Amino acid sequence: MFNLFKKNNPFPRETTPGNIYISDNRLFYEDHTYEESVDLSILKYAYVEILAEAPYLFLFDYRQHYIPALQQGFSKAYLQLSKRFGFDDALFFKTINSKKEQKNRIWIGNKTANYQILPEQHTDYEDGFEIQSTPLLFVSWDTTYEEFLKLNIGQLYQSEFDTTYFKINYPVRIGSLLIDLLEFYYDADERQNIAIQSYFTTLYTGSNSDESYYQLRELWMEEIPTVIDNAGYERDDQKYLTFDLDGIGLSICYTYDVNGQYDDGGTSLTINNYRDYSESVLTDNLALSIETTQILSFDTLLNFQPDYKSNANVIAIPLIVVEKTETRNAVWLADDNTFGFTGDQYAIQFNRKDVHQLIIQNVLPAKGGGYVELSVKLKSNGYITIYYGEQHALDTYVQQLQEFLGIEVEVPEPYYNC
């Protein structure tokens, strides 16, 4: 059979150095001298593409892989893949020997239906969702991260990108929609005493089409009426709608096989929480000693950047600092080696032992306007932007900040805002 392939459907000559091969459930190839691999056990779809007259096999497991068809070992690996997955060989060879820039899908994994629309109507969308455990458990949208982890209805896991997620182990009912899987992103370093900010899943009908999008669209247009023009867009390349539920946004998105996009046959469902949980921050006030706390005020307008929802170090402005500075931005230093920067109503607190340096970066006007940015570089190599202000507005505070906090303040060369 392989000889027949070669006779009737010639592969391009493999003129590029490299070594494409398959071992167990992985396909290995070279990308700019680095060996990369595709996890074939979770392969989602495959395309053949011509880019700048060069042929590629495009594979997607959990990220994009462009396999050069001119790299040595390609033809042998392709035949193994085609036999295993059932690629559309006729379309592959028609495309691979063309010089015209194009892409064509030659295979997509079969996804079984993972949701259903219930015959009975439910109207508790704004309240939360129901876990299909025994007994049933209703979870409010306002349930915090720390509360959710105590419910014992799922587990944390690491993704292929070493990101942590929480997976619910039971089907979930959201209004009149019953879905098999629901997850959320989890970071132990972020604020735990506010509601979960975003849930997600992908819904399939088993047809590898946009049928799932239109079914959810019809359901929610009936049960959560909205005006399409105000809720999103429906284009040939992508369709996206958000249904608002008193600060909870149910969003559905379907992407089609056009331009640089790929159609995986599923509708992305994202549930975003836009509700205000500032009370959980502003009602607690840090007690600072009036005798030992030092304060340095800024006599310039600065825009405070940290968000209380994503950063657990964001707190209410300590009352002592408010009394001393009134409405001005400031930095305080406490006798326990903690310090913080203030905004209009929030502040952010650090421990000096965790901070490597401060960075004051001026940006010169070009296509965009000029500005200054003050950031904190942590010893863990993380960066937190604290302020934006007018260009050069912090120049006179460089030495003061360094002496006040006992932390190095770096001032890199300005660059243009292109």
Side-chain angles (χ1 to χ4, degrees), residues 116-125 130 132 173-178 219 222-223:
Q116 59 179 298
I117 295 174
L118 301 173
E120 67 275 11
Q121 186 179 42
H122 294 266
T123 58
D124 51 4
Y125 284 100
E130 185 180 70
Q132 305 301 290
R173 180 184 64 78
I174 303 170
S176 303
L177 175 70
L178 185 65
L219 172 68
E222 179 180 342
E223 297 190 345

Side-chain angles (χ1 to χ4, degrees), residues 266-279:
T267 295
S268 297
L269 168 62
T270 306
I271 305 161
N272 291 313
N273 190 328
Y274 303 110
R275 293 176 177 174
D276 182 10
Y277 297 99
S278 59
E279 185 177 352

Side-chain angles (χ1 to χ4, degrees), residues 27-53:
L27 178 142
F28 296 87
Y29 67 101
E30 289 188 14
D31 183 11
H32 296 87
T33 72
Y34 292 97
E35 185 175 69
E36 301 285 352
S37 69
V38 185
D39 187 346
L40 299 177
S41 68
I42 57 173
L43 189 65
K44 290 183 172 59
Y45 48 83
Y47 282 73
V48 56
E49 298 197 30
I50 306 297
L51 299 171
E53 299 189 354

Side-chain angles (χ1 to χ4, degrees), residues 188-201:
D189 293 329
E190 293 186 356
R191 187 173 296 280
Q192 302 293 298
N193 63 339
I194 61 168
I196 294 164
Q197 295 297 286
S198 182
Y199 298 87
F200 69 92
T201 192

Side-chain angles (χ1 to χ4, degrees), residues 84-323:
R84 174 173 174 175
F85 293 101
F87 287 172
D88 185 339
D89 294 316
L91 181 56
F92 170 81
F93 283 106
K94 178 182 178 181
T95 306
I96 206 74
N97 290 295
S98 170
K99 297 295 184 182
K100 179 182 177 182
E101 190 152 314
Q102 59 186 294
K103 69 181 176 72
N104 294 297
R105 190 171 69 193
I106 58 174
W107 178 84
I108 186 171
N110 184 34
K111 295 285 189 180
T112 57
N114 62 354
Y115 72 93
Q116 59 179 298
I117 295 174
L118 301 173
E120 67 275 11
Q121 186 179 42
H122 294 266
T123 58
D124 51 4
Y125 284 100
E126 293 186 2
D127 301 323
F129 54 92
E130 185 180 70
I131 308 296
Q132 305 301 290
S133 55
T134 304
L136 297 173
L137 174 65
F138 196 85
V139 178
S140 166
W141 295 124
D142 298 321
T143 301
T144 67
Y145 289 93
E146 55 193 7
E147 291 169 342
F148 202 102
L149 266 59
K150 296 176 182 178
L151 295 177
N152 195 31
I153 55 174
Q155 75 278 332
L156 297 169
Y157 74 94
Q158 294 286 118
S159 74
E160 295 87 352
F161 295 107
D162 293 327
T163 302
T164 302
Y165 295 95
F166 186 95
K167 175 184 176 182
I168 299 173
N169 285 341
Y170 301 92
V172 172
R173 180 184 64 78
I174 303 170
S176 303
L177 175 70
L178 185 65
I179 61 178
D180 291 349
L181 177 66
L182 189 63
E183 304 178 85
F184 60 84
Y185 165 75
Y186 179 79
D187 187 341
D189 293 329
E190 293 186 356
R191 187 173 296 280
Q192 302 293 298
N193 63 339
I194 61 168
I196 294 164
Q197 295 297 286
S198 182
Y199 298 87
F200 69 92
T201 192
T202 302
L203 302 179
Y204 300 93
T205 61
S207 64
N208 288 325
S209 72
D210 59 7
E211 182 182 1
S212 52
Y213 174 86
Y214 281 105
Q215 286 185 352
L216 267 67
R217 180 189 193 277
E218 181 180 3
L219 172 68
W220 287 342
M221 284 297 292
E222 179 180 342
E223 297 190 345
I224 318 169
T226 189
V227 179
I228 295 295
D229 291 343
N230 298 331
Y233 54 84
E234 293 189 320
R235 306 187 305 244
D236 291 339
D237 63 327
Q238 191 175 69
K239 290 178 170 53
Y240 174 86
L241 292 177
T242 294
F243 297 82
D244 181 59
L245 304 166
D246 187 27
I248 302 296
L250 297 182
S251 298
I252 53 174
C253 181
Y254 194 92
T255 300
Y256 294 89
D257 179 13
V258 294
N259 303 322
Q261 300 175 155
Y262 299 88
D263 183 347
D264 72 350
T267 295
S268 297
L269 168 62
T270 306
I271 305 161
N272 291 313
N273 190 328
Y274 303 110
R275 293 176 177 174
D276 182 10
Y277 297 99
S278 59
E279 185 177 352
S280 63
V281 178
L282 298 178
T283 53
D284 290 331
N285 201 276
L286 179 67
L288 295 175
S289 168
I290 193 169
E291 290 84 12
T292 59
T293 301
Q294 304 174 59
I295 299 173
L296 171 64
S297 298
F298 297 103
D299 291 320
T300 184
L301 181 63
L302 298 168
N303 293 315
F304 185 77
Q305 298 300 305
D307 182 359
Y308 77 89
K309 289 187 175 183
S310 60
N311 195 314
N313 292 324
V314 174
I315 60 176
I317 303 177
L319 293 177
I320 291 174
V321 181
V322 174
E323 293 170 2

Side-chain angles (χ1 to χ4, degrees), residues 339 341 352-361 374-379 383 397-412:
F339 69 96
F341 295 94
R352 280 202 296 191
K353 67 180 180 60
D354 298 327
V355 175
H356 175 62
Q357 63 182 188
L358 304 184
I359 300 173
I360 293 178
Q361 176 69 66
L374 187 150
S375 301
V376 171
K377 181 180 180 182
L378 303 174
K379 289 182 179 177
Y383 287 85
Y397 293 95
V398 173
Q399 191 65 30
Q400 292 182 66
L401 281 170
Q402 191 160 283
E403 293 176 355
F404 181 77
L405 294 174
I407 298 172
E408 177 191 3
V409 179
E410 181 184 2
V411 185

